[in-house]
Amino acid sequence: MSAAPAKPKARSGGKSDAPGGGRPKAPGGVKPKAPGGAKPKARGKRRKKRRFRPAAALLRTAAVLVSLGAFWCAYLLWVIAGYELPKPIPKADAAIVLGAALWNDVPSPGLQERLDHAAELYKQGNVGYLLLTGGLDHNGSRLTEAEGMRDYLLKKGIPKGRLVLENDARSTYENLKFSQPLIAKHGWTSVVIVTHDYHAPRAAEIARYLHYKPDTAVLGYKSKVLPLAQQQLREVLAFTKWKLDSVLLRFGLQTPDAFF
């Protein structure tokens, strides 16, 4: 018997018998991707991008909030600066004089201005009574704002019987709210509100909120002693607080008292 044919030897290197030697190529001649997907560098870049996304979103949110805040402040400054004193000055049964700080139990220069205008209204026959509203300050005063205002007006020659005091209010909202029972008690059918011009738009809005008569005039006078820019900026904060309070009050809530 003849010997069996010898088996062909396997080629070294594990190469296949495909033409040209080497490993079989993917269709189209494209080399197969390495296990694990994308290259390490590409994966690192995507991870960095993902890390920066929350920071970018936070910056965008902050930019939007700053823009909205700037718009809101500009709007309120426009409202405040747009106030004009009514002409002619209307007549009324009484003038509500909104309180402000006492200095050593004496009206501060700004409050003196309000009181001087109120005294002129009385002397000129525009009003028959002055309703002085303001509670106790937290600045060491022993008198309420209303009591300090009364003492000042008595020295100006206003009869004591023409002065009505409201001694509890600590904000513009309370000034006008706590004055309402006194208006009803004295049977007054018309009032005007005395304050400064920068304060007048907010006082008018609060009066409308409290259902004062639509023809209730707010007499806001320009100050010669108070820095206008400082008072307007302070009023922007106070007006913003009032806008929030006007919503919360409908639910029986209110932001903490800030003496606005």
Side-chain angles (χ1 to χ4, degrees), residues 89-99 111-134 145-167 175 179 182-183 186 188 190-195 219 221:
I89 300 297
K91 292 191 175 184
D93 293 333
I96 302 174
V97 187
L98 302 182
L111 182 52
Q112 289 182 26
E113 287 184 319
R114 297 183 189 182
L115 295 170
D116 290 342
H117 288 300
E120 285 300 312
L121 290 174
Y122 173 79
K123 292 177 180 179
Q124 292 172 0
N126 289 87
V127 298
Y129 292 86
L130 301 179
L131 198 170
L132 314 175
T133 168
E145 291 176 0
E147 291 169 338
M149 295 157 75
R150 173 202 60 200
D151 293 350
Y152 180 87
L153 289 171
L154 290 175
K155 294 177 182 178
K156 289 282 184 179
I158 307 299
K160 185 176 181 179
R162 294 291 172 169
L163 303 176
V164 177
L165 277 61
E166 184 289 302
N167 288 303
N175 287 144
S179 292
L182 296 173
I183 293 171
H186 288 82
W188 299 330
S190 60
V191 296
V192 293
I193 300 168
V194 177
T195 186
L219 308 181
Y221 297 94

Side-chain angles (χ1 to χ4, degrees), residues 47-211:
R47 285 172 185 164
K48 287 182 180 179
K49 287 182 180 179
R50 283 197 294 268
R51 283 201 299 268
F52 283 116
R53 280 175 189 169
L58 185 60
L59 287 174
R60 285 195 295 269
T61 302
V64 170
L65 291 176
V66 169
S67 299
L68 290 174
F71 175 81
W72 176 251
C73 291
Y75 165 72
L76 288 181
L77 286 172
W78 175 75
V79 170
I80 293 167
Y83 170 80
E84 292 184 1
L85 184 70
K87 294 181 180 180
I89 300 297
K91 292 191 175 184
D93 293 333
I96 302 174
V97 187
L98 302 182
L102 300 180
W103 293 0
N104 296 320
D105 292 329
V106 175
S108 60
L111 182 52
Q112 289 182 26
E113 287 184 319
R114 297 183 189 182
L115 295 170
D116 290 342
H117 288 300
E120 285 300 312
L121 290 174
Y122 173 79
K123 292 177 180 179
Q124 292 172 0
N126 289 87
V127 298
Y129 292 86
L130 301 179
L131 198 170
L132 314 175
T133 168
L136 191 64
D137 283 334
H138 289 283
N139 60 0
S141 296
R142 294 169 297 173
L143 302 179
T144 65
E145 291 176 0
E147 291 169 338
M149 295 157 75
R150 173 202 60 200
D151 293 350
Y152 180 87
L153 289 171
L154 290 175
K155 294 177 182 178
K156 289 282 184 179
I158 307 299
K160 185 176 181 179
R162 294 291 172 169
L163 303 176
V164 177
L165 277 61
E166 184 289 302
N167 288 303
D168 297 316
R170 298 176 61 196
S171 66
T172 304
Y173 171 76
E174 290 183 351
N175 287 144
L176 295 174
K177 183 176 178 62
F178 295 169
S179 292
Q180 287 178 308
L182 296 173
I183 293 171
K185 178 181 177 180
H186 288 82
W188 299 330
T189 58
S190 60
V191 296
V192 293
I193 300 168
V194 177
T195 186
H196 282 100
D197 56 349
Y198 63 83
H199 186 209
R202 178 163 59 98
E205 184 169 312
I206 294 174
R208 288 192 297 271
Y209 180 90
L210 291 170
H211 305 296

